[in-house]
Amino acid sequence: VKWRVTVVPETGSTNADLLGSDGPEGTVLVARSQTAGRGRLGRTWISPPGKSLTFSVLLRPGDAIPPARRGWLPLAAGLAVASAVRTVAGVPADLKWPNDVLHDSRKLAGILVEQSPSGAVVIGIGLNVSVSESELPVPGPGALEATSLALAGSGVSADEVLPAVLGGLGARYAALRGGGSVHDEYLSLCATLGRSVRVELPGDRVISGEAIDVDPSGQLLVRSAAGAVESVSAGDVVHLR
Ligand code: BTN
């Protein structure tokens, strides 16, 4: 992909903007501030103006990535952010399935992937960069505590992290388009695998067990104490112990 980056001082939600655009693949919209940031599972995403990296990218995978494998795009985005944070900011980061980027079990970045009816895929990334302790959003009930690159000891700016995220996302997107896999890399950076987890599924159902793998469509496989394996395509994972 050739990325074409536009930066705006403020918008409602960069995801909403790109979902409603007919721009080309590779369009990137960075907002210094969002007034109606969206999170996963219908939540909102709040970030203090100018202290986060909030942006979305528009992809048009078409036939190159069949629908059954598109579930890897959110995971590939998580890999791109976690590895950029490691290399550019020097902050040890890992992932909670599907793509919460964690440092020290606290959330550094969130990712929301949405598809338009025309098949466009919008990947939205919100990374806490220079947010201070008192500016961190208060986690909702049961939600993870947040952190930022600054709180993790890094002085990098949003503009320094962005090219690394885009480069890493482009490389992984190219791999998926070419029929390749990011499964092994995902397992290496995902703190969920091998853990005891509780998964809150949409519709209030909860399952628990051990997270054992990610299947060929990117779903999380959870084995219950009784030995039954369930695959999870959407939900909130809580790491236990
Ligand atoms: C989550 O953890 O729930 C996902 C948060 C995603 C936030 C980003 S910020 C840029 C983009 N625009 C949005 O409205 N949301 C995403």
Side-chain angles (χ1 to χ4, degrees):
V1 212
K2 189 176 176 308
W3 302 116
R4 307 157 203 240
V5 181
T6 301
V7 182
V8 297
E10 180 177 295
T11 190
S13 156
T14 55
N15 261 42
D17 291 348
L18 290 192
L19 274 171
S21 91
D22 53 8
E25 169 156 279
T27 301
V28 179
L29 181 62
V30 181
R32 297 297 182 203
S33 153
Q34 289 188 128
T35 53
R38 301 182 189 172
R40 286 181 62 235
L41 307 169
R43 290 185 284 241
T44 54
W45 179 260
I46 297 168
S47 41
K51 303 204 163 178
S52 313
L53 173 60
T54 49
F55 70 103
S56 301
V57 308
L58 177 66
L59 298 175
R60 299 190 178 279
D63 298 334
I65 307 181
R69 294 186 68 241
R70 297 230 177 122
W72 281 99
L73 287 171
L75 309 192
L79 284 174
V81 176
S83 49
V85 162
R86 284 168 167 263
T87 52
V88 179
V91 170
D94 55 17
L95 294 164
K96 180 167 77 68
W97 184 93
N99 53 19
D100 282 342
V101 181
L102 311 183
H103 166 66
D104 217 0
S105 301
R106 293 167 72 176
K107 185 157 161 173
L108 264 180
I111 299 174
L112 173 65
V113 179
E114 298 181 277
Q115 279 203 58
S116 78
S118 68
V121 174
V122 172
I123 300 179
I125 296 172
L127 170 67
N128 300 327
V129 178
S130 53
V131 184
S132 69
E133 194 78 52
S134 63
E135 294 164 328
L136 288 172
V138 179
L144 276 178
E145 269 185 66
T147 189
S148 68
L149 295 180
L151 290 170
S154 165
V156 294
S157 68
D159 291 345
E160 289 167 311
V161 184
L162 178 64
V165 175
L166 292 177
L169 184 58
R172 290 168 182 92
Y173 180 55
L176 292 173
R177 284 180 60 106
S181 165
V182 296
H183 175 269
D184 292 354
E185 187 196 15
Y186 187 78
L187 291 205
S188 75
L189 274 182
C190 181
T192 307
L193 279 306
R195 293 285 280 265
S196 225
V197 294
R198 186 173 78 237
V199 188
E200 291 153 12
L201 303 169
D204 283 349
R205 202 162 75 85
V206 175
I207 62 172
S208 52
E210 187 190 346
I212 54 171
D213 201 354
V214 174
D215 80 4
S217 59
Q219 304 192 35
L220 182 68
L221 300 179
V222 178
R223 185 172 55 215
S224 72
V229 176
E230 274 206 64
S231 57
V232 177
S233 62
D236 242 346
V237 172
V238 179
H239 290 161
L240 305 172
R241 291 199 289 277

